Amino acid sequence: MASGTLYNKIWDSHVVERLPTGQYQLFIGLHLTHEVTTPQAYDMLAERGLRVAWPERTVATVDHIIPTDDLARPYVDEQAELMMQALEKNTRSFGVRFLDFASGRQGIVHVIGPELGMVHPGMTVACGDSHTATHGAFGTLAFGIGTSQVRDVLASQCLSLDPLRVRRIEMNGALAPGVEPKDVILHIIRRLGVKGGIGYAYEYAGSVIEGMSMEARMTVCNMSIEGGARAGYVNPDETTFAYLEGREHAPVGEAWDAALTHWRSFASDADASYDDVVEMRGEDIEPMVTWGIHPGQSVGVHEPLPDPEAFDEAERPTVERAYAHMGFRPGQKMTEVPIDVCFIGSCTNSRISDLRTAAELARGRRVAEGVKAIVVPGSQAVKKQAEEEGLDRVFSEAGFEWRHAGCSMCLGMNTDKLVGDQVCASTSNRNFIGRQGSPRGRTLLMSPSMAAAAALEGRVSDARTLA
Amino acid sequence: MTDLGIRRIEGRAITVRGNDIDTDRIIPARFLKALTFSELGEYPFYDERFDSEGREREHPFNRESARGAKILFVNANFGCGSSREHAPQCLKRWGIDAVVGISYGEIFAGNCEMIGVPAARAEAQALAKLQEAAEADASAEFCVDLERMEVRGGNLRVPIELPENRRRALLDGHWDSTGQLVANAEQVRNVYERLPYTRGYQEA
């Protein structure tokens, strides 16, 4: 059993009771919600005559189904319009704050929570979305949950949970130039596997992680679930506090000083013990790209694709299925693969630093002929910031479409979808079969600079050669 | 809220083979735009069962015997990926009352538990025998027994595992946690008042 870790400290300070089932009742400090996983939860509350127990600790936004081109109501997609209306009705009748487009604060739930300063070290966070681990970047314990659990949080501000084990992933050394946070997490998932994290919370540590900005840490924590981990976090430090200072929901004055003391106390102790420790080196990481149908199937950009025989017998069918779906062959290099679509966005890589990185490459260049490239900022605030910096013009002049904020082509729940067997260079988090809206679509996960380079060259390319 | 407990799930079984079957494959995202779960029973593995023209393809869920099956045999890391409860909901509404596999995506397993569907684990080789038996005889009946913690079928008897608290919740009919959580409102308030962030980091 781990002890003295941030995980233990947050867990212990939020446990309410041991339930008759043996699970633990855990208080949830911040409940983030969106339109897709809540309508049934509100219906269940209404059926049982329950109200939202602590409405001030829940916040809603719209991200999954919102169009990124034409925002006029009613939405072109009738189902999306109905879903939006349900959220408007539910938040109104249950007294939950809804950060809609008119608020100027709308965006992907995992982008707006942090940027509004709602997520503080030492908190528990829950959201009906598996990428909730993003908020672990702030030294929180953040859980992705299902709709019945959303009902639980609405009704009680609590979840019924089993304790986790803690694995410390210590990434020391330094990253080579051109290697991005996305490459770090793809490398970790490849090393530990997509099942490696089952039963664990991941603590990301070491000099590489400590040297990262908050936005970089969010990218890393975001994909914890892709490695099977229920949660992932980084211990809070001066970088965390500097990010939070001055944000809308951050404390000010004396409260800020008190908060700092409190936040510092949550970091894992120097002599904390872990259920497992894994060490990695930043120097070992190359720009990564996935070639298969889960996020663990990745290679360095110049590495030949693996031989199915090199895998365990149990893993081979998934590898063979990946080759069959993607139409690639062992030994091939990803730099030979032409792309049809480039998607820059998603809760993994749609923050201002991601857009700056991509824009830097796009400046003065043109998207290759025949490639459709879209840039979808993570929030209205990110969009505004990018426009103030002129990034929208850089993208537009290069032939990228500049869109409104939302989840967009990460999962194709709005009208942004792949068509047929298109190949997409994507900064999102999942390359599952059918993920981007076409059952035959093919997703290649990569960093913002790699995705931009792919759009400009018309095929997967080492972004470092363009820089 | 108390539901009737679940002791045994008996019926035919469907075998879906493969590790790392994600929830996007179990139910594609476009079906998540429904405002209720009630219609989801038609859509498990939809894009694998039908081609783009809606023609049926070869898939375990398209076999005649799959209609009315109660048990699903899967492999490792089943239900990884998205947190969508729509995945276990569509399986349950198809008629699946128990899943037996090597391991699960944790959010998926938790979602199964929340709706009273055991997601039981079995050892790989024993599970392979169950899968073969179900494939060899589509009419074969199996029993997932949560009291004896085994799956029986033909001459097979395979031990299964569930976290003890989940097994207990299913047996006792206490898998719906809302009532239990709401009942502790007083203790919740105590925790709330102890946490500095709930009062804006001001001294109490």
Side-chain angles (χ1 to χ4, degrees):
Chain A
M1 274 289 277
S3 64
T5 69
L6 176 137
Y7 164 82
N8 298 109
K9 295 180 193 186
I10 299 183
W11 180 272
D12 292 347
S13 60
H14 287 75
V15 165
V16 175
E17 280 289 332
R18 187 124 195 227
L19 295 166
T21 58
Q23 288 193 302
Y24 291 85
Q25 178 166 359
L26 205 69
F27 181 80
I28 299 302
L30 176 65
H31 185 204
L32 298 165
T33 64
H34 60 82
E35 74 283 12
V36 175
T37 57
T38 50
Q40 298 90 345
Y42 281 116
D43 286 351
M44 292 189 264
L45 238 58
E47 281 166 22
R48 297 177 188 200
L50 294 167
R51 57 188 182 84
V52 176
W54 306 82
E56 72 279 15
R57 308 219 69 82
T58 291
V59 66
T61 191
V62 54
D63 52 10
H64 284 63
I65 55 96
I66 195 169
T68 59
D69 44 8
D70 178 6
L71 288 169
R73 299 284 297 272
Y75 296 145
V76 173
D77 177 350
E78 197 180 322
Q79 278 185 300
E81 174 61 30
L82 291 174
M83 197 148 238
M84 180 67 166
Q85 287 175 13
L87 182 62
E88 289 169 328
K89 177 178 80 66
N90 286 325
T91 50
R92 210 168 35 236
S93 56
F94 285 91
V96 169
R97 185 165 30 142
F98 178 25
L99 300 176
D100 61 1
F101 191 81
S103 74
R105 292 166 177 77
Q106 174 267 338
I108 304 176
V109 69
H110 308 309
V111 174
I112 66 166
E115 80 186 4
L116 292 170
M118 292 177 174
V119 182
H120 300 180
M123 267 185 180
T124 47
V125 181
C127 176
D129 191 283
S130 60
H131 293 110
T132 307
T134 308
H135 309 286
F138 290 80
T140 70
L141 207 48
F143 299 102
I145 58 177
T147 295
S148 295
Q149 290 173 308
V150 170
R151 175 195 67 205
D152 279 1
V153 181
L154 291 173
S156 70
Q157 203 57 41
C158 294
L159 281 172
S160 163
L161 291 170
D162 292 307
L164 296 169
R165 287 173 288 173
V166 186
R167 171 178 293 144
R168 180 174 163 96
I169 299 173
E170 193 161 314
M171 176 80 69
N172 284 315
L175 300 177
V179 174
E180 295 184 30
K182 183 65 156 288
D183 303 314
V184 172
I185 188 61
L186 285 173
H187 175 87
I188 290 173
I189 296 168
R190 182 189 188 188
R191 276 274 308 274
L192 300 178
V194 292
K195 304 186 243 322
I198 294 179
Y200 282 98
Y202 278 176
E203 174 175 306
Y204 303 101
S207 57
V208 168
I209 304 293
E210 286 156 17
M212 281 183 174
S213 71
M214 287 313 294
E215 297 197 350
R217 293 176 188 183
M218 283 188 252
T219 297
V220 171
C221 289
N222 173 272
M223 289 185 69
S224 299
I225 188 72
E226 264 48 82
R230 187 73 204 265
Y233 67 84
V234 177
N235 284 304
D237 60 11
E238 297 309 313
T239 304
T240 322
F241 311 143
Y243 177 95
L244 281 167
E245 192 164 14
R247 292 189 184 260
E248 189 176 334
H249 292 274
V252 291
E254 281 179 26
W256 171 261
D257 298 330
L260 279 184
T261 309
H262 178 65
W263 294 345
R264 286 201 174 95
S265 73
F266 273 92
S268 294
D269 297 333
D271 61 353
S273 71
Y274 297 87
D275 298 288
D276 191 29
V277 178
V278 178
E279 289 176 46
M280 300 186 192
R281 298 290 304 178
E283 292 81 357
D284 295 340
I285 306 177
E286 267 202 289
M288 304 289 287
V289 54
T290 64
W291 59 271
I293 55 171
H294 69 56
Q297 294 176 322
S298 64
V299 287
V301 61
H302 297 294
E303 208 179 318
L305 297 193
D307 183 349
E309 299 298 315
F311 291 82
D312 279 359
E313 203 179 326
E315 294 304 318
R316 226 168 285 154
T318 311
V319 173
E320 280 160 3
R321 192 176 175 114
Y323 276 118
H325 180 78
M326 300 302 286
F328 301 154
R329 55 178 203 286
Q332 182 180 358
K333 287 200 174 166
M334 289 306 288
T335 48
E336 300 162 14
V337 173
I339 66 149
D340 305 296
V341 177
C342 163
F343 169 59
I344 296 175
S346 88
C347 59
T348 315
N349 282 126
S350 64
R351 297 178 181 83
I352 190 67
S353 55
D354 300 314
L355 304 192
R356 285 179 189 144
T357 305
E360 201 165 314
L361 279 179
R363 195 181 298 276
R365 294 193 171 95
R366 288 289 304 170
V367 169
E369 195 151 325
V371 172
K372 177 187 176 70
I374 67 171
V375 182
V376 183
S379 69
Q380 286 180 286
V382 170
K383 182 167 190 278
K384 184 162 172 278
Q385 174 72 28
E387 287 170 357
E388 280 167 15
E389 295 178 20
L391 305 185
D392 58 324
R393 286 193 306 281
V394 173
F395 284 122
S396 300
E397 284 164 15
F400 290 83
E401 296 174 32
W402 178 245
R403 299 291 190 85
H404 291 290
C407 300
S408 179
M409 207 185 271
C410 174
L411 82 170
M413 274 194 78
N414 67 355
T415 49
D416 306 328
K417 298 176 201 290
L418 295 184
V419 177
D421 67 351
Q422 281 180 326
V423 174
C424 180
S426 180
T427 66
S428 55
N429 39 56
R430 289 190 173 135
N431 50 344
F432 297 152
I433 293 173
R435 171 74 180 181
Q436 292 190 286
S438 168
R440 293 191 298 132
R442 296 176 285 174
T443 303
L444 314 178
L445 303 178
M446 58 188 83
S447 70
S449 66
M450 286 284 289
L456 299 165
E457 298 288 298
R459 58 177 172 81
V460 177
S461 304
D462 185 341
R464 294 172 298 187
T465 62
L466 273 82
Chain B
M1 178 166 294
T2 306
D3 301 83
L4 289 176
I6 298 170
R7 303 189 175 280
R8 281 176 293 280
I9 294 103
E10 291 169 301
R12 295 194 304 278
I14 307 175
T15 293
V16 172
R17 289 179 182 272
N19 289 347
D20 309 311
I21 292 181
D22 57 79
T23 54
D24 278 83
R25 279 173 65 187
I26 299 172
I27 185 138
R30 64 182 182 280
F31 298 116
L32 276 50
K33 285 191 275 189
L35 290 172
T36 68
F37 291 132
S38 57
E39 306 298 317
L40 294 183
E42 284 305 304
Y43 304 118
F45 296 100
Y46 192 87
D47 286 341
E48 302 188 359
R49 286 167 51 211
F50 300 96
D51 68 13
S52 53
E53 267 84 57
R55 286 181 300 244
E56 257 192 32
R57 298 201 281 203
E58 169 57 26
H59 190 276
F61 271 77
N62 279 346
R63 288 171 205 152
E64 208 172 314
S65 57
R67 291 279 167 192
K70 298 264 180 238
I71 300 162
L72 179 61
F73 295 142
V74 298
N75 292 91
N77 201 27
F78 184 78
C80 59
S82 158
S83 65
R84 59 190 71 169
E85 188 173 306
H86 308 67
Q89 287 279 0
C90 78
L91 296 174
K92 186 176 168 65
R93 282 158 203 276
W94 173 279
I96 299 298
D97 289 332
V99 190
V100 183
I102 298 166
S103 62
Y104 300 92
E106 280 183 271
I107 304 179
F108 175 84
N111 285 338
C112 285
E113 176 200 12
M114 292 294 288
I115 60 173
V117 174
R121 292 191 309 270
E123 185 270 323
Q125 285 185 340
L127 181 77
K129 290 203 173 77
L130 289 173
Q131 292 184 317
E132 282 162 22
E135 283 174 332
D137 177 4
S139 65
E141 296 274 329
F142 294 85
C143 174
V144 177
D145 188 330
L146 298 183
E147 285 181 316
R148 296 188 182 180
M149 289 308 281
E150 62 184 23
V151 181
R152 294 184 295 276
N155 54 7
L156 292 172
R157 189 180 285 267
V158 168
I160 55 171
E161 288 177 20
L162 266 178
E164 180 54 25
N165 57 36
R166 294 188 186 180
R167 181 174 94 102
R168 189 43 55 198
L170 291 163
L171 287 172
D172 295 347
H174 289 159
W175 63 81
D176 186 323
S177 42
T178 304
Q180 298 163 39
L181 297 173
V182 170
N184 291 332
E186 188 68 33
Q187 296 93 315
V188 176
R189 177 158 291 278
N190 291 340
V191 171
Y192 173 91
E193 284 173 357
R194 203 170 67 212
L195 290 166
Y197 62 77
T198 59
R199 50 174 196 273
Y201 305 97
Q202 310 285 349
E203 288 305 312

